Amino acid sequence: MSENDQVRRRWPRPLLFALGWIFTALGVIGLVLPLMPGTVFLIAAAWCFSQSSPRFESWLVGHARLGPHVLRWRETRSIARRAKYLACTSMVLSFIMLTRTSAPPVALVATAACLIGAGLYVATRPET
């Protein structure tokens, strides 16, 4: 059984399709807003569409404004320096905002661990 078949068994097509559109919307917002990384969401959207709708995957990859971000990732697994800075800055700012809430210490530690892991992953990807 291939990996794609296993994914399809765990995640129903309609759910992946809906997630694809949610990630696409977040990606578009992220390309407009300076502190929200859009590329990550577009990559996730393309993956969801690849599992649920080849038609919309093709549309996203072929889109003049959205497609280049996805294609760059698929071809080189690289992230533009500006996108890295935006992603890491938004993670730091998000954590600072979280510390200003009444979140319990366990939530702060768990969030910090996740953000550090994500930040390290983004920072260590090759640049275009």
Side-chain angles (χ1 to χ4, degrees), residues 5-121:
D5 292 336
Q6 291 173 351
V7 169
R8 285 190 185 114
R9 284 181 180 222
R10 285 184 289 194
W11 294 86
R13 269 183 78 184
L15 177 60
L16 288 169
F17 185 74
L19 282 173
W21 280 111
I22 290 167
F23 288 144
T24 300
L26 291 171
V28 169
I29 291 168
L31 294 178
V32 175
L33 295 178
L35 291 179
M36 185 173 164
T39 304
V40 173
F41 292 110
L42 293 175
I43 292 167
W47 181 84
C48 288
F49 286 143
S50 76
Q51 303 301 308
S52 63
S53 175
R55 175 181 164 208
F56 285 106
E57 177 194 17
S58 180
W59 168 82
L60 180 61
V61 171
H63 193 278
R65 298 275 295 153
L66 308 177
H69 302 285
V70 176
L71 288 172
R72 183 182 322 113
W73 175 256
R74 285 185 173 179
E75 292 170 359
T76 65
R77 294 287 194 246
S78 64
I79 301 173
R81 182 174 290 182
R82 180 177 181 271
K84 286 183 178 187
Y85 287 146
L86 288 174
C88 291
T89 301
S90 66
M91 287 184 233
V92 169
L93 291 175
S94 296
F95 186 73
I96 290 170
M97 288 172 39
L98 182 63
T99 63
R100 305 288 185 237
T101 68
S102 60
V106 68
L108 293 174
V109 170
T111 302
C114 291
L115 290 176
I116 289 169
L120 286 173
Y121 181 80

